[in-house]
Amino acid sequence: EHKETAGKAVEERKNGATTNGSASVNFMEEIQMDRMKRRSLKLKNSILLDRIRLQRLESRIVCMESDELGIVERAVGSTLDSLNEIEFERSSVTITAVQRQAKKFVNTFGESTSVLLRKLDRVSSKSGPNNRDYASVTDFVVQETAAGVRIVGNLLSNPSQLSQLVDPDTPALVPHVPAILARLDRLESHVAPILSRVLNNKQHLRSIEPYLDEILERFDDIEPHLPWILDHIDTLAPYTGLLLKHIDELLLYAEVDEYEAGDDNYAFAEQLLPYLEVYVSQLDLVGPHLPLLRPHLPLLLKHNRIKILSPHVGKLFAKGYKDLSASANMDILLYYFGWALRVPLVPYVFFKVAPPSAVSFLANRLPKRLVRGRCCDVSCYVDGDYGKGWNELSK
């Protein structure tokens, strides 16, 4: 009997352990199942939101391609759709975003207004050749108003141009209106290419807009070259900020006479365009060299030397080259080694192997009399600070 009682106790313990084990397993399975259900619900909601967004986008595409809606209706519809796409997660986030946008609008409008006021001041004092054409500030205002009326009239008479204003980034121009009003007479002849190449859903305005006030501030210098800039806007627009930062050095190369470049005034720029990214990425280093290279432009354009040198310039600056003497004595280097640039692999090997000190040594030590004759002792003034602050934009 004692043995039977002990056996029953052992069996009861085993059954209890089994029951407890199965209960814990069931509990873990329930937790896992609950997690999977919540994950499934989250994915379903995400898929549903994506489908809704896809339907909205497809409907907008159909509306944009349709000719049934007028230009004004398309513009209003595009603006409302853009506003509806904004997702407001929480009221606090919304308020912060609105405050940030409002602050940006006020700051931009203030800078734009300053551009207009400075223009009026220059017209009043007749400082600068372009401001002497106006008899008075009143005459300037009258001419700008007349230019604005002509621009609006041309847009209304050309619906195809007016439709190009239907761009997602067009509202960003609103705080820049004062600066734009100060340049209407200069902008008038460029309205059509600006609409077709900068706006018109080209997405270039997004890169240009943050610097628009500075561009309009320097528009007297930029405007003569605007046709060429617009022709190459696809290449130049992404680098607007860096190019504007070094605008004074770059403008030195915009004024090229027949002796320097023949019939093409932009021959130097045309050779640089394919390698623009190389130069722009290191423009803060290259910038101080540009004024010193300017007198040697005819030699650089000869035999497509810019095209040959450009792929290797980045290697030289990557090694820490900062000495300006090679740029100041570029005529000396090209006189002795210009022929080597046309020998295959020689430029690649030289820039790959030669240290920056070798370039500086050759530029300073090679005999100059054979190249410059009696002017061999003439040299550019070069010190460590040249080119760092002289071209900063003055308000």
Side-chain angles (χ1 to χ4, degrees):
E1 292 178 358
H2 180 72
K3 290 181 179 179
E4 290 178 359
T5 304
K8 290 179 180 180
V10 171
E11 290 179 0
E12 288 177 357
R13 289 173 185 172
K14 289 182 179 179
N15 292 334
T18 304
T19 303
N20 293 334
S22 61
S24 61
V25 170
N26 291 335
F27 179 72
M28 294 299 295
E29 288 180 351
E30 288 178 1
I31 294 177
Q32 186 69 20
M33 183 65 69
D34 184 58
R35 288 179 179 175
M36 292 171 65
K37 287 181 178 179
R38 281 185 291 175
R39 178 62 177 166
S40 175
L41 182 61
K42 187 175 180 180
L43 288 174
K44 288 179 180 178
N45 292 336
S46 177
I47 293 171
L48 181 60
L49 290 174
D50 288 339
R51 286 179 179 175
I52 293 172
R53 292 192 184 102
L54 178 60
Q55 290 175 358
R56 288 179 180 175
L57 182 60
E58 289 178 343
S59 64
R60 288 177 63 187
I61 292 172
V62 172
C63 291
M64 291 296 291
E65 292 178 346
S66 174
D67 296 330
E68 296 179 1
L69 297 177
I71 295 171
V72 177
E73 293 171 327
R74 289 169 59 189
V76 173
S78 177
T79 303
L80 291 176
D81 284 338
S82 299
L83 290 174
N84 289 329
E85 288 296 324
I86 301 176
E87 297 181 0
F88 300 99
E89 297 178 359
R90 296 174 182 263
S91 59
S92 59
V93 177
T94 303
I95 293 173
T96 304
V98 171
Q99 290 176 342
R100 192 185 308 116
Q101 291 298 323
K103 183 178 180 181
K104 179 182 177 182
F105 181 93
V106 171
N107 291 338
T108 304
F109 188 82
E111 293 175 2
S112 180
T113 304
S114 298
V115 174
L116 174 60
L117 294 176
R118 285 193 293 271
K119 177 64 176 178
L120 292 174
D121 182 65
R122 290 194 294 270
V123 170
S124 177
S125 61
K126 297 187 182 297
S127 60
N130 294 322
N131 298 314
R132 296 169 190 160
D133 298 333
Y134 307 105
S136 62
V137 173
T138 303
D139 181 44
F140 168 76
V141 173
V142 170
Q143 291 193 33
E144 296 300 312
T145 304
V149 171
R150 290 193 298 270
I151 291 172
V152 173
N154 289 332
L155 289 176
L156 294 176
S157 61
N158 293 283
S160 60
Q161 291 186 8
L162 192 60
S163 65
Q164 293 169 353
L165 281 170
V166 184
D167 187 286
D169 296 317
T170 299
L173 293 174
V174 174
H176 299 282
V177 166
I180 295 173
L181 292 176
R183 299 294 185 175
L184 286 178
D185 57 340
R186 290 284 187 146
L187 287 167
E188 183 178 1
S189 60
H190 305 290
V191 169
I194 288 174
L195 289 177
S196 63
R197 297 171 191 173
V198 178
L199 294 172
N200 196 25
N201 287 314
K202 297 292 187 181
Q203 298 185 353
H204 292 318
L205 185 59
R206 195 170 301 172
S207 302
I208 298 171
E209 183 271 331
Y211 311 99
L212 186 57
D213 291 333
E214 297 180 18
I215 292 172
L216 293 171
E217 181 79 33
R218 299 297 303 268
F219 202 64
D220 287 338
D221 298 320
I222 296 172
E223 192 266 338
H225 316 289
L226 193 57
W228 184 87
I229 294 172
L230 291 173
D231 286 340
H232 300 87
I233 193 66
D234 293 338
T235 304
L236 299 174
Y239 308 108
T240 302
L242 276 172
L243 294 174
L244 190 63
K245 182 180 178 181
H246 296 274
I247 184 174
D248 287 294
E249 296 125 308
L250 295 171
L251 285 174
L252 291 173
Y253 292 83
E255 299 294 336
V256 181
D257 56 31
E258 295 180 358
Y259 164 72
E260 293 177 318
D263 297 331
D264 187 0
N265 289 340
Y266 298 99
F268 180 77
E270 294 284 355
Q271 289 191 35
L272 281 182
L273 273 179
Y275 309 97
L276 186 64
E277 186 174 354
V278 175
Y279 287 98
V280 169
S281 62
Q282 304 184 66
L283 198 52
D284 288 334
L285 293 174
V286 177
H289 294 261
L290 294 178
L292 300 172
L293 288 170
R294 181 61 181 83
H296 313 301
L297 184 59
L299 295 174
L300 290 169
L301 292 175
K302 192 175 181 180
H303 303 304
N304 290 325
R305 285 168 175 166
I306 290 294
K307 184 177 180 180
I308 296 171
L309 288 170
S310 293
H312 310 292
V313 169
K315 300 174 186 176
L316 191 62
F317 286 102
K319 295 178 182 179
Y321 181 73
K322 295 181 179 180
D323 186 18
L324 301 175
S325 59
S327 298
N329 296 303
M330 183 56 64
D331 56 334
I332 308 299
L333 293 174
L334 290 176
Y335 179 82
Y336 286 100
F337 302 108
W339 59 271
L341 295 176
R342 289 184 284 173
V343 178
L345 297 178
V346 169
Y348 174 82
V349 173
F350 176 80
F351 285 100
K352 187 75 173 178
V353 177
S357 57
V359 179
S360 300
F361 177 83
L362 293 173
N364 292 310
R365 300 300 180 184
L366 287 172
K368 298 179 176 62
R369 185 171 295 276
L370 291 175
V371 186
R372 298 176 181 172
R374 295 181 179 179
C375 301
C376 62
D377 295 329
V378 176
S379 61
C380 295
Y381 176 73
V382 177
D383 61 22
D385 294 328
Y386 187 82
K388 288 186 179 178
W390 69 277
N391 66 322
E392 291 182 356
L393 213 63
S394 58
K395 298 293 184 183

